[in-house]
Amino acid sequence: MLKIHNLHAEVEGEKILKGVNLEINPGEVHAIMGPNGSGKSTLASVVAGNEEYEVTEGEILFDKSNISELSADERAHKGIFLSFQYPVEIPGVSVTNFIKTAINQIRKAQGLKDMPANEMLKKIREKSAMLGMDRKFLSRSLNESFSGGEKKRNEIFQMAMLEPQLAILDETDSGLDIDALKIVADGVNKLRTKDNATLVITHYQRLLDYIVPDVVHVLVDGKIIKSGDKELAKKLEKRGYDWLKEEQLV
Amino acid sequence: MKLKEKLLSSYLAFEENIDLENDIHNIRNEAIKYFEHSGFPHRKQEAWKYTSLNSILKEDYSIFPKKEDTIEYRDIKKYCIHDIDTYQIVFVDGIYASHLSQTTHDKFDACLMSSALNKAKYKPIIKKYFNKVAPQESLTALNTAFSYEGAYIKIPKGVAAEKPIQILNFSTGNEHALMIQPRNLIIAEDNAQVQIIERHQSLTENAVLTNSVTEIFAGKNANVDYYKIQNDKVTSSLIDNTYISQDRDSEVSMHTFSFGGKLTRNNLNFYQNGSNINSILKGVTIIEGKQHVDHNTLVHHRKPHCESHQDYKGIFAEKSTGVFNGKVLVDKIAQKTDAFQSNNNILIDDQATINSKPQLEIFADDVKCSHGCTIGQLDEEALFYMQSRGIPQKEARALLMYAFANNVLNSVKIPEINKRITKQIALKIGVQLGFDL
Ligand SMILES: Nc1ncnc2c1ncn2[C@@H]1O[C@H](COP(=O)(O)OP(=O)(O)O)[C@@H](O)[C@H]1O
Ligand SMILES: [Mg+2]
C-alpha cells in the first residue's frame, strides 16, 4: 500500500531524512520508534504532503502510484490520514463543522454528493460515543484550549469519521492517561480491517501493548537502522537506543 | 473649478432656496465659513496620514442632482434587508423617494430630516439636538452647511421600536459624478430601544462621493443597535462621520461591515456622558483590488464606571489598503473605566497593506485598558492541518478567514444580518463552505 524508497528530505537546508526505506501492506500495523529529533514527525509530515519539507531524493508510492507531486488534500482524498503530534488550534470553527467540511470535500473530490445530514449526524454520534466524547465537546472550537488528551482523542475521532486507508499516528499516546489511552487504542483497533494499514509513531513502548504492531522500525538520525517484530520494541524500552547505534558502528 | 470653490459657490445657490428665517441657517452659515477656512483634510494632518482624498476630490461632481428618481423597488431589492419587516427611509441621489419608503409617526418618528428641519413642531427638538454632538471639523462642517435631507428618527421615552429601520441611500448614475451629503439625526430617549441599518449604494459605475453625518443621542438606559453595510461599487467613495452621545446606563453598539468601495473612511466617535455606559464598536473589513478602508475611531470616557469594546478585523487582498486608527481617551474623572480594543488583520497578498495605530490617552489611574493589534498572513500550519484532512487549500483558506471574522458576527443581534454578512464573507472569499451557515 505504502512504499517509500530512499527518501531524503530537508527543511531550510538542513537534511533531516537521509534515505528512508519502508513498505507497508494492507492489514498491517507498523511502528516507528526512535529518539527525539530523529525525524519521525518529519517522515509523517512528508508522507502526508507538508510542503514545508523539500524532498530531495527518493519516492513515495501509494497504491503503486507516485504521490510525490500531490498536495496534502489530494493525498487525503486517496486515503492518507495523519494524526498530528501537535494538533493545530482553529478558533471559530467547531469540531462538528470542521469534520463535516472535511468529509464533504473528500466526497466532492470523489465525485460524490454531500453526505445527507441525518447520516452525518448518526455517524458523528456513533464515533464520538465510541471514543467516549462529550456532546458539548463537538460544538467547541477545534482544538482551542483543549487539553493534550482532548486533542489526541479528537484526532482519533476525525480518523474514525474519515476511515482512511493508511493512518499515521504521530505520538498519539502523549498527553493521554492510561484510561484514555485504552479508549483511544481500542478505537484504533476497531477501525482496523484487512484492507487498511496503520503506522504508529511513538517513543514509548506503552502504546504498543494496546496497538500491537506487526513490524517495528527504529529511526535514528534520519534513517531506519533496524526493523524487527514487536519484541524489538520491548528491547528498546529496556535498553534504549545506544546499543543499536553501537551495533551500527560495528 | 476646484471642488472646494464649486462647493462654496453652490452654497450661495443653496441659500436662495431655503428659508433664511430658520434658526438652522445660522448654523449652516457658521459651518460654511469654517469649511472655507479649513478646506478638505490633507495628509499632513495626523488623522489623515494614511488616507489621501486627492484622487476622489478631482472629479467634477454635481452638487445638486436633477430631481428624477427613475428607479423601482426591483432595482434595489437586493440591497435591502427584505426578508424581515422593517421601516425604510430611502433616498435616491440624495432625494427622498416616497414610493420606496415606509416611514412612521405612530409610536415614534422615522421620517425625513427635511421636515424635521422645517416644520414648527420639531423646532424644540432640533434646537436641542441638531449639530450638538457633531464638532466643527472640515468635512462635518461641510455637511452641516448643506444639511437638508437625511433620516430623522426619534424614539420617545420607554418606547422600543418594534422593527428595525433601514436608511438606504442609492445613487442612479444619472449624473456623470455626484456628491451627496446625507444628514441623519437619531434620538433614542430614556429607556428607548432601536435597531438601525444604514447603507449607501450606487447602482452604476459613475463616480459618487458621499459625505455623510449622523448624530446619535442615546438617553438614560437607552439601547441603540446600529449596522453599517458598506459594499459599494469601486467607483464610489464614502466618508462617514458618526457622532454618538450617550447618557448613563445606555448601550450603543455599532457594527461596520466594509466589503467594497473606492475609498471608505469611517470617523466613528463615541462620547460618554454618564456612568455605567457601554459602547461597542465592531468591524469586519474584507477588500481587494485597490480599495481603501480607513477606520478612525474615538471613544471618549468622560465619566466613571463605563465600558468600551472595540474589535476590528480586516482581510486585505491584492493591492488594497487599510487603516485602523483607534483612539481611547480616558479623562481623569473616569475611574474604573474598562476599555478594550483589538485590531487584527490578515494580508493575503504581498502588496496589501494595513496601518494600524492604537492611541491610548489615559488620565485616570484606576482603569482597565487593553489593546492589541496583529498583522499576519494565514497560518501555514493550520492550512496544512486542514489540507491533511482533505480540505483543498482554497476552501481551507476560506474557512480560516471565515473563522477569523466569525467572532465579530457573534454580537450581531439581527439574525438576517448575520446570515447576509456571513454569506457575503463566503462570497468575497470566493467559496461555498461545507456546512450550514
Ligand atoms: N520545520 C522545521 N524547521 C526546522 N527544523 C526542523 C523542522 N522540523 C523538524 N526540524 C528538525 O528536524 C529534526 C527532526 O525533527 P522531528 O521530525 O520533529 O523529530 P522527531 O519527531 O523524531 O522527534 C529536529 O532536529 C528538528 O529540529
Ligand atoms: Mg515528533
Side-chain angles (χ1 to χ4, degrees):
Chain A
M1 172 187 293
L2 179 73
K3 195 167 178 184
I4 299 176
H5 177 65
N6 191 31
L7 186 67
H8 290 251
E10 54 184 66
V11 61
E12 289 160 9
E14 191 191 342
K15 293 187 169 62
I16 300 171
L17 301 181
K18 302 169 182 172
V20 175
N21 293 296
L22 182 66
E23 184 166 357
I24 302 176
N25 297 308
E28 292 180 347
V29 175
H30 286 230
I32 293 184
M33 302 184 75
N36 263 330
S38 59
K40 302 183 297 294
S41 292
T42 301
L43 177 62
S45 272
V46 170
V47 173
N50 191 343
E51 286 162 19
E52 203 184 335
Y53 300 92
E54 192 191 347
V55 174
T56 52
E57 222 183 306
E59 55 183 13
I60 307 170
L61 300 176
F62 188 72
D63 286 343
K64 298 199 175 68
S65 67
N66 190 340
I67 58 167
S68 301
E69 296 300 316
L70 299 185
S71 61
D73 49 293
E74 290 167 329
R75 294 181 200 203
H77 300 159
K78 283 186 173 291
I80 296 177
F81 176 88
L82 169 61
S83 166
F84 280 51
Q85 180 173 4
Y86 304 109
V88 183
E89 297 190 2
I90 306 186
V93 182
S94 69
V95 172
T96 310
N97 278 338
F98 184 71
I99 198 63
K100 279 185 189 172
T101 307
I103 286 185
N104 285 331
Q105 288 294 339
I106 293 174
R107 289 174 68 96
K108 193 171 158 193
Q110 293 163 342
L112 298 171
K113 286 218 178 76
D114 280 2
M115 183 181 277
N118 54 355
E119 195 180 320
M120 182 78 79
L121 200 66
K122 192 164 154 254
K123 191 164 180 175
I124 290 176
R125 281 212 188 114
E126 195 181 298
K127 303 296 182 186
S128 57
M130 176 178 91
L131 291 160
M133 290 163 73
D134 198 47
R135 270 276 183 82
K136 273 189 241 134
F137 187 83
L138 296 170
S139 54
R140 281 171 62 185
S141 268
L142 191 66
N143 292 325
E144 192 182 30
S145 58
F146 283 16
S147 70
E150 284 172 334
K151 284 183 182 170
K152 296 305 167 74
R153 206 185 282 228
N154 178 43
E155 291 290 278
I156 302 305
F157 166 67
Q158 292 186 44
M159 172 185 162
M161 290 297 294
L162 299 175
E163 300 175 285
Q165 286 274 95
L166 171 68
I168 305 171
L169 312 181
D170 191 0
E171 310 274 2
T172 296
D173 47 339
S174 65
L176 293 178
D177 61 35
I178 192 71
D179 293 328
L181 181 76
K182 279 183 191 160
I183 293 170
V184 164
D186 209 38
V188 172
N189 287 329
K190 278 193 191 131
L191 295 168
R192 286 181 59 185
T193 68
K194 64 177 180 16
D195 299 316
N196 64 22
T198 314
L199 176 61
V200 183
I201 294 173
T202 179
H203 59 267
Y204 296 114
Q205 197 267 337
R206 188 175 77 147
L207 178 66
L208 303 181
D209 287 338
Y210 301 99
I211 306 174
V212 182
D214 299 298
V215 189
V216 175
H217 309 274
V218 185
L219 186 76
V220 176
D221 192 22
K223 261 188 187 157
I224 289 177
I225 58 167
K226 196 175 180 74
S227 301
D229 61 9
K230 62 177 194 266
E231 294 309 315
L232 177 59
K234 292 197 174 123
K235 207 165 157 186
L236 290 169
E237 177 88 351
K238 241 187 253 155
R239 297 178 55 187
Y241 296 100
D242 289 344
W243 63 277
L244 263 178
K245 289 183 196 164
E246 279 155 28
E247 199 174 72
Q248 276 289 101
L249 289 176
V250 178
Chain B
M1 199 172 9
K2 281 261 199 65
L3 185 57
K4 182 180 167 187
E5 281 70 52
K6 187 168 183 175
L7 283 161
L8 293 175
S9 64
S10 299
Y11 182 73
L12 300 175
F14 173 64
E15 255 191 323
E16 283 172 16
N17 291 315
I18 54 175
D19 169 16
L20 295 175
E21 298 303 304
N22 195 321
D23 293 344
I24 301 304
H25 190 59
N26 290 332
I27 296 177
R28 290 192 185 111
N29 271 340
E30 287 299 310
I32 198 71
K33 264 187 234 153
Y34 185 86
F35 174 73
E36 182 170 12
H37 159 77
S38 73
F40 285 106
H42 49 80
R43 292 183 65 177
K44 291 202 186 80
Q45 287 160 286
E46 190 57 29
W48 291 87
K49 197 168 164 189
Y50 300 109
T51 296
S52 166
L53 296 177
N54 287 347
S55 71
I56 58 170
L57 296 182
K58 64 176 191 253
E59 292 281 349
D60 185 21
Y61 296 105
S62 300
I63 311 296
F64 304 112
K66 302 176 209 86
K67 193 183 158 85
E68 194 182 344
D69 44 356
T70 51
I71 64 172
E72 299 295 327
Y73 179 64
R74 62 167 190 274
D75 302 323
I76 61 162
K77 184 176 175 206
K78 66 176 173 177
Y79 302 115
C80 313
I81 305 287
H82 53 75
D83 30 15
I84 50 169
D85 201 12
T86 63
Y87 291 105
Q88 300 108 36
I89 311 173
V90 181
F91 304 94
V92 175
D93 293 336
I95 295 162
Y96 176 59
S98 62
H99 67 295
L100 300 171
S101 299
Q102 195 201 338
T103 58
T104 183
H105 293 290
D106 286 351
K107 295 193 187 98
F108 58 89
D109 292 312
C111 58
L112 300 182
M113 193 68 177
S114 53
S115 28
L117 288 175
N118 292 316
K119 287 189 187 158
K121 68 169 180 170
Y122 296 106
K123 217 169 174 177
I125 294 159
I126 292 297
K127 201 171 167 122
K128 184 169 173 196
Y129 294 105
F130 180 79
N131 211 41
K132 287 297 181 287
V133 63
Q136 209 70 301
E137 182 271 340
S138 79
L139 289 161
T140 299
L142 177 62
N143 176 289
T144 302
F146 287 90
S147 57
Y148 174 73
E149 194 55 289
Y152 171 83
I153 296 167
K154 181 172 163 286
I155 318 291
K157 278 195 174 81
V159 173
E162 79 283 11
K163 53 191 185 188
I165 302 165
Q166 300 192 70
I167 306 171
L168 302 164
N169 296 275
F170 294 99
S171 41
T172 57
N174 287 348
E175 308 289 331
H176 159 74
L178 178 66
M179 180 169 181
I180 340 179
Q181 303 204 64
R183 177 73 176 218
N184 304 314
L185 178 60
I186 291 148
I187 302 153
E189 291 189 334
D190 298 352
N191 298 306
Q193 290 177 36
V194 64
Q195 292 186 304
I196 295 169
I197 301 150
E198 178 189 347
R199 181 164 189 159
H200 303 266
Q201 183 67 47
S202 174
L203 302 172
T204 68
E205 312 293 327
N206 281 355
V208 179
L209 170 58
T210 302
N211 177 39
S212 149
V213 169
T214 303
E215 292 183 282
I216 301 173
F217 295 86
K220 296 183 189 84
N221 200 36
N223 191 309
V224 178
D225 185 26
Y226 205 114
Y227 302 88
K228 291 182 188 275
I229 300 176
Q230 304 172 340
N231 191 9
D232 213 340
K233 300 255 158 51
V234 293
T235 41
S236 297
S237 294
L238 170 66
I239 298 160
D240 180 306
N241 309 282
T242 299
Y243 302 96
I244 299 156
S245 166
Q246 286 187 256
D247 276 355
R248 71 169 162 81
D249 304 312
S250 64
E251 178 177 308
V252 176
S253 134
M254 177 68 69
H255 287 77
T256 308
F257 299 108
S258 310
F259 297 149
K262 182 183 167 80
L263 180 152
T264 307
R265 162 82 171 212
N266 287 295
N267 294 317
L268 178 58
N269 306 276
F270 280 78
Y271 304 96
Q272 297 184 337
N273 300 314
S275 290
N276 199 29
I277 286 170
N278 195 2
S279 305
I280 298 162
L281 301 76
K282 305 245 179 171
V284 181
T285 302
I286 307 177
I287 50 170
E288 65 287 314
K290 290 182 177 173
Q291 301 181 82
H292 179 88
V293 171
D294 178 349
H295 291 289
N296 188 70
T297 68
L298 166 72
V299 180
H300 193 164
H301 289 273
R302 306 203 273 213
K303 288 281 156 42
H305 296 282
C306 293
E307 294 176 32
S308 65
H309 297 269
Q310 289 191 63
D311 186 2
Y312 281 81
K313 297 259 159 82
I315 298 175
F316 301 90
E318 296 171 356
K319 292 183 177 171
S320 63
T321 50
V323 181
F324 177 78
N325 196 345
K327 188 164 169 179
V328 176
L329 198 60
V330 183
D331 285 355
K332 194 163 179 190
I333 178 187
Q335 300 293 0
K336 305 282 178 195
T337 291
D338 184 350
F340 170 84
Q341 182 188 80
S342 132
N343 172 231
N344 301 298
N345 303 287
I346 291 176
L347 302 178
I348 307 265
D349 296 298
D350 292 345
Q351 286 174 302
T353 56
I354 166 84
N355 283 293
S356 179
K357 195 173 113 197
Q359 259 179 292
L360 272 61
E361 293 177 20
I362 300 164
F363 299 98
D365 47 23
D366 185 13
V367 299
K368 216 170 88 190
C369 292
S370 66
H371 72 98
C373 128
T374 61
I375 299 169
Q377 272 81 30
L378 287 176
D379 180 358
E380 291 293 330
E381 221 181 302
L383 283 174
F384 171 59
Y385 183 78
M386 297 169 101
Q387 281 186 267
S388 83
R389 300 291 137 96
I391 304 173
Q393 192 175 69
K394 195 177 160 207
E395 280 73 14
R397 283 175 166 275
L399 198 54
L400 279 184
M401 288 190 266
Y402 168 74
F404 174 75
N406 194 32
N407 65 345
V408 176
L409 296 186
N410 287 343
S411 52
V412 171
K413 291 191 202 82
I414 303 178
E416 287 70 22
I417 293 198
N418 198 329
K419 245 189 349 214
R420 237 163 195 272
I421 298 298
T422 307
K423 250 198 194 147
Q424 278 295 339
I425 292 175
L427 200 75
K428 289 282 304 181
I429 294 161
V431 275
Q432 211 54 55
L433 299 171
F435 51 89
D436 294 336
L437 302 170

PDB file of all heavy atoms in Angstrom, chain A residues 41 85 170-171, ligand 2:
ATOM      1  N   SER A  41       8.533  12.676  13.079  1.00  0.00           N
ATOM      2  CA  SER A  41       7.429  13.561  12.681  1.00  0.00           C
ATOM      3  C   SER A  41       7.647  14.094  11.267  1.00  0.00           C
ATOM      4  O   SER A  41       6.688  14.300  10.516  1.00  0.00           O
ATOM      5  CB  SER A  41       7.304  14.731  13.651  1.00  0.00           C
ATOM      6  OG  SER A  41       6.872  14.270  14.902  1.00  0.00           O
ATOM      7  N   GLN A  85       1.121  15.154  15.947  1.00  0.00           N
ATOM      8  CA  GLN A  85       1.720  15.176  17.280  1.00  0.00           C
ATOM      9  C   GLN A  85       1.242  16.431  18.025  1.00  0.00           C
ATOM     10  O   GLN A  85       0.925  16.372  19.200  1.00  0.00           O
ATOM     11  CB  GLN A  85       3.252  15.181  17.180  1.00  0.00           C
ATOM     12  CG  GLN A  85       3.933  15.196  18.540  1.00  0.00           C
ATOM     13  CD  GLN A  85       5.457  15.042  18.456  1.00  0.00           C
ATOM     14  OE1 GLN A  85       6.030  14.994  17.366  1.00  0.00           O
ATOM     15  NE2 GLN A  85       6.107  14.952  19.598  1.00  0.00           N
ATOM     16  N   ASP A 170       0.981  10.025  14.955  1.00  0.00           N
ATOM     17  CA  ASP A 170       2.245  10.578  15.456  1.00  0.00           C
ATOM     18  C   ASP A 170       2.128  10.894  16.944  1.00  0.00           C
ATOM     19  O   ASP A 170       1.473  11.866  17.317  1.00  0.00           O
ATOM     20  CB  ASP A 170       2.608  11.835  14.647  1.00  0.00           C
ATOM     21  CG  ASP A 170       4.027  12.306  14.941  1.00  0.00           C
ATOM     22  OD1 ASP A 170       4.721  11.665  15.759  1.00  0.00           O
ATOM     23  OD2 ASP A 170       4.444  13.322  14.343  1.00  0.00           O
ATOM     24  N   GLU A 171       2.757  10.093  17.763  1.00  0.00           N
ATOM     25  CA  GLU A 171       2.780  10.288  19.226  1.00  0.00           C
ATOM     26  C   GLU A 171       1.370  10.472  19.781  1.00  0.00           C
ATOM     27  O   GLU A 171       1.131  11.368  20.595  1.00  0.00           O
ATOM     28  CB  GLU A 171       3.630  11.517  19.599  1.00  0.00           C
ATOM     29  CG  GLU A 171       5.007  11.551  18.975  1.00  0.00           C
ATOM     30  CD  GLU A 171       6.076  10.796  19.763  1.00  0.00           C
ATOM     31  OE1 GLU A 171       5.738  10.189  20.797  1.00  0.00           O
ATOM     32  OE2 GLU A 171       7.240  10.804  19.318  1.00  0.00           O
TER      33      GLU A 171
HETATM   34 MG    MG C   2       7.873  14.017  16.675  1.00  0.00          MG
END
